Amino acid sequence: MSVDTTTLKGLSATAYVITNVGDERGSLVSVLHDADEDMRVCFPDVNDDGGISTDEDGLGTIHMMGKRTVSLEPGQVQLMFFISSDGQTELVETQDGPALAYRTPLMGENYTLVDTEDRRTRIHASVASDEFAARFIQDPLYPEAMEGCKRLVDMERRNTR
């Protein structure tokens, strides 16, 4: 059996939940990543329950970080998609034989959050609690929101070339 080891390039999305753990309202204008200067961040509107919200037509709205800020009250959460074009598929050995695994520099790295006063806070991505993971991943709009974000980033990149 042969396996194609060609590297596949394209946009990859990594989902993160940002939580305001402080005691004051905070607003983010940017999220930076050391290993990927071209990373883009987008996010869907969320409702008061923390789920992805929709308009009267049942469609969610996706926003690009940098064109809109994210304001969070203490304890409030926001789903964000970090989009990179540096992801690639690699051949790896597993106990079941060769398999393709996806790798992206966005996974498990340090990030810098930039607020509206240009204060910078270094954070390290951590594993979301089961509650947050279930809230977003099981949301029926989650796949649509992730794909919508990738399309928005792709359109932005095409328009800036």
Side-chain angles (χ1 to χ4, degrees):
M1 179 178 134
S2 67
V3 178
D4 184 6
T5 59
T6 305
T7 300
L8 304 174
K9 290 278 190 178
L11 291 178
S12 65
T14 304
Y16 285 101
V17 176
I18 303 291
T19 306
N20 181 350
V21 295
D23 55 4
E24 296 179 4
R25 179 185 177 126
S27 296
L28 298 177
V29 295
S30 183
V31 179
L32 308 174
H33 186 269
D34 294 340
D36 187 357
E37 294 177 5
D38 198 33
M39 179 188 82
R40 298 288 186 268
V41 178
C42 52
F43 54 95
D45 284 335
V46 294
N47 57 34
D48 292 338
D49 296 330
I52 299 170
S53 65
T54 59
D55 59 19
E56 60 277 354
D57 297 322
L59 302 172
T61 303
I62 307 293
H63 306 281
M64 288 292 295
M65 179 71 76
K67 297 184 181 193
R68 182 166 173 183
T69 61
V70 174
S71 295
L72 299 174
E73 296 295 335
Q76 190 176 10
V77 299
Q78 173 66 56
L79 174 65
M80 292 187 171
F81 296 107
F82 295 6
I83 307 295
S84 173
S85 59
D86 292 335
Q88 60 187 13
T89 303
E90 301 172 350
L91 181 65
V92 296
E93 280 298 324
T94 70
Q95 65 188 64
D96 297 326
L100 292 177
Y102 193 76
R103 303 277 188 249
T104 175
L106 300 181
M107 299 172 88
E109 296 293 329
N110 290 311
Y111 298 90
T112 301
L113 303 180
V114 183
D115 71 10
T116 53
E117 296 176 15
D118 201 31
R119 289 182 298 219
R120 294 164 186 257
T121 305
R122 297 278 296 168
I123 62 168
H124 183 77
S126 61
V127 177
S129 71
D130 290 340
E131 173 192 353
F132 290 133
R135 178 184 297 174
F136 290 111
I137 293 172
Q138 294 176 4
D139 189 312
L141 293 173
Y142 177 86
E144 179 184 315
M146 181 179 278
E147 287 306 311
C149 184
K150 289 162 86 174
R151 283 191 305 272
L152 190 60
V153 170
D154 186 52
M155 278 187 343
E156 179 189 71
R157 288 184 175 177
R158 289 176 194 235
N159 291 334
T160 59
R161 288 183 183 166

